[in-house]
Amino acid sequence: MMQSTAAALTMVRDDDFFLERWVQYYGGLFGPENCYVINHGNQDAVNRIAGDCNVMAIPGTSEKFDQRRWRLFNGLANGLRSYFKYVIVGDVDEYVVADPHLGLDLLGFLEKVPGRKILTPLGLEVMHRPMQEPDPIEGPILGPRRHVRVTYHYSKPCVLGFPGKVSRGGHYAEYDELNTPEALYLFHMKYCDTDQYSGVMDRRNATVAAAGARKEQTGIGGHWFAEERGDDKAMFDEFSTRPIVRGFDMSPYRRKMHDGWSERGNGLWHFPRGTYAHMHELPERFFGIV
């Protein structure tokens, strides 16, 4: 069923695990006909998993990958905003969620909030603690994985309802008003599972190696390159030792974003970035959403 409140837009390659959940989550909320998937490299698996969505195939070019990707995202999102109140733009392992305590899902939330704004959800990285969570993920991620770290790097201006070019990576926007709804979160799932992370990194390392691409040519992070990747097991073992802060009051984190809000330059606005050593345990009301 078509609706004009919200659409979702992503690009994907070699990420079947996250694409399946992206389609289930956003397709289930907005309707698959209001979901837009850019198939980088025209992979058969993407066409199969996202077949009910709007799939656009593009060549599997690696050179200036991130610059091209965000130029395309900005152009498509700007066009889609002519038809939708809000367009959510992000990576396939990012999921914008409305806190269930509202009694509304994300679509219901966006139906009620005023339009013509850019909204910035608070970024929460879901981090697998294998010593405490030894079981693999077979269905939803939240529940089997329940430990999160607040990260401003993933507090992205990604819910677009107003003109404002988004920077490469989606971390900043040409928009001078910071809107951080109390109930809105962006769950970043990159670190949600040890084995899944290693599989994704193996495929990305193989992709850039096969292309013969250098880091400065692609505009992507160093973790795509095997020589900069580091030890996966050691990283996740360290996650298991991080302190847990009880409670889930996120208001101080949002206040800090507003306290540091300033112009970044080149028309972009930002707040100080950074992460925390500690984690929070996710309340049960979030379990099973993604």
Side-chain angles (χ1 to χ4, degrees):
M1 182 178 69
M2 294 299 298
Q3 48 79 21
S4 60
T5 300
L9 169 65
T10 195
M11 181 184 289
V12 64
R13 176 173 181 158
D14 292 327
D15 268 342
D16 296 358
F17 174 88
F18 287 121
L19 180 60
E20 288 172 354
R21 285 153 179 82
W22 191 95
V23 169
Q24 289 169 3
Y25 178 64
Y26 285 114
L29 283 174
F30 300 163
E33 61 274 25
N34 304 303
C35 296
Y36 298 82
V37 177
I38 303 167
N39 184 355
H40 184 215
N42 196 23
Q43 296 186 313
D44 291 340
V46 174
N47 291 321
R48 172 177 53 81
I49 295 168
D52 291 334
C53 302
N54 301 286
V55 179
M56 175 190 296
I58 60 171
T61 306
S62 296
E63 186 177 356
K64 297 189 181 300
F65 165 72
D66 230 20
Q67 293 93 326
R68 294 181 191 219
R69 179 167 68 126
W70 283 94
R71 190 180 303 129
L72 180 57
F73 275 163
N74 275 306
L76 289 174
N78 190 52
L80 289 171
R81 276 193 311 96
S82 299
Y83 299 91
F84 294 93
K85 181 180 179 183
Y86 281 106
V87 179
I88 296 175
V89 181
D91 294 339
V92 75
D93 61 358
E94 297 172 355
Y95 308 83
V96 177
V97 172
D99 194 320
H101 81 72
L102 289 176
L104 296 170
D105 59 20
L106 180 60
L107 182 62
F109 173 83
L110 293 175
E111 286 173 346
K112 289 185 174 295
V113 298
R116 298 206 43 90
K117 294 179 179 293
I118 293 179
L119 308 180
T120 301
L122 182 67
L124 300 177
E125 282 195 301
V126 178
M127 306 184 82
H128 185 196
R129 294 166 66 99
M131 296 178 190
Q132 293 84 23
E133 301 166 336
D135 295 333
I137 297 171
E138 296 180 348
I141 297 170
L142 300 182
R145 303 294 181 260
R146 61 190 185 277
H147 297 99
V148 298
R149 175 181 67 175
V150 174
T151 172
Y152 294 126
H153 194 62
Y154 285 94
S155 299
K156 294 184 174 183
C158 62
V159 186
L160 308 177
F162 190 84
K165 180 181 176 182
V166 178
S167 71
R168 179 163 56 95
H171 302 288
Y172 317 107
E174 292 178 344
Y175 187 70
D176 62 4
E177 181 181 328
L178 179 59
N179 299 298
T180 58
E182 187 176 304
L184 212 56
Y185 297 94
L186 187 155
F187 286 94
H188 179 226
M189 301 294 196
K190 176 180 176 178
Y191 301 111
C192 75
D193 185 75
T194 309
D195 293 339
Q196 177 60 31
Y197 173 86
S198 294
V200 169
M201 289 299 102
D202 288 345
R203 292 190 293 274
R204 289 180 176 178
N205 293 164
T207 295
V208 295
R214 299 190 305 274
K215 182 178 176 181
E216 62 272 15
Q217 293 176 308
T218 62
I220 55 180
H223 59 275
W224 280 68
F225 299 84
E227 61 272 17
E228 296 190 35
R229 177 170 163 184
D231 186 319
D232 297 351
K233 183 179 185 304
M235 179 175 64
F236 280 91
D237 285 347
E238 192 271 333
F239 292 167
S240 294
T241 68
R242 294 195 175 198
I244 302 294
V245 174
R246 301 301 170 187
F248 196 71
D249 179 9
M250 298 289 111
S251 56
Y253 299 109
R254 289 191 179 91
R255 281 198 301 271
K256 186 172 181 180
M257 293 163 65
H258 284 269
D259 290 344
W261 183 241
S262 64
E263 190 170 6
R264 176 179 174 83
N266 298 315
L268 301 170
W269 287 73
H270 71 158
F271 42 80
R273 304 288 142 171
T275 57
Y276 293 86
H278 61 263
M279 298 185 188
H280 291 264
E281 190 166 347
L282 201 62
E284 290 186 12
R285 64 181 183 267
F286 288 94
F287 291 6
I289 293 179
V290 178

